[in-house]
Amino acid sequence: MAVNMDTMPLRWGHFRVLLVASMGQIIGAGLATLVGIILPMIQMLRHLELTSFQLGLVTCTSLIGITVGSLFFGRLSDKYGYLFSSVFVRLSCCWLRYWLILLRRFPD
């Protein structure tokens, strides 16, 4: 049975798909705002000795980190699937935290 998309009525399921698909863009924009604007503002208030170049470098570095991370983990999830990428990211974060705790506990 063929469905004519021109005369098909919109249902709640269509709007739900649109909402879920749009959430990625909304979260991405919120993250870029947080990392690109709010965190450097906090740095300005806490570290008054930083020059404008250094503050710009902090902002630029954080946004470049988001871009590189998105490209790397996007390709990883395209190739191996979302579940593998999610587990890989979590294990990487745990590994990084473990080493940061060790470095902080034993500084020399």
Side-chain angles (χ1 to χ4, degrees):
M1 178 173 185
V3 176
N4 187 356
M5 295 298 284
D6 293 332
T7 59
M8 184 176 173
L10 288 175
R11 297 200 170 113
W12 172 243
H14 296 107
F15 292 109
R16 203 168 48 193
V17 168
L18 177 66
L19 180 68
V20 170
S22 300
M23 287 304 293
Q25 294 296 323
I26 293 169
I27 291 172
L31 180 65
T33 302
L34 173 70
V35 174
I37 296 172
I38 296 173
L39 289 179
M41 296 285 281
I42 292 171
Q43 290 287 31
M44 280 193 292
L45 295 175
R46 291 184 67 204
H47 302 285
L48 298 174
E49 71 276 0
L50 293 177
T51 65
S52 60
F53 176 75
Q54 290 170 331
L55 290 172
L57 195 62
V58 168
T59 306
C60 180
T61 304
S62 60
L63 292 175
I64 288 173
I66 290 174
T67 303
V68 171
S70 297
L71 290 172
F72 175 74
F73 290 112
R75 286 195 181 261
L76 190 71
S77 65
D78 286 345
K79 187 171 184 177
Y80 297 110
Y82 175 73
L83 183 61
F84 175 79
S85 298
S86 175
V87 170
F88 180 77
V89 168
R90 289 180 184 152
L91 289 176
S92 299
C93 289
C94 289
W95 178 81
L96 180 63
R97 281 186 182 173
Y98 172 75
W99 283 106
L100 288 175
I101 289 171
L102 281 180
L103 288 174
R104 201 177 258 179
R105 191 170 298 249
F106 306 108
D108 292 330

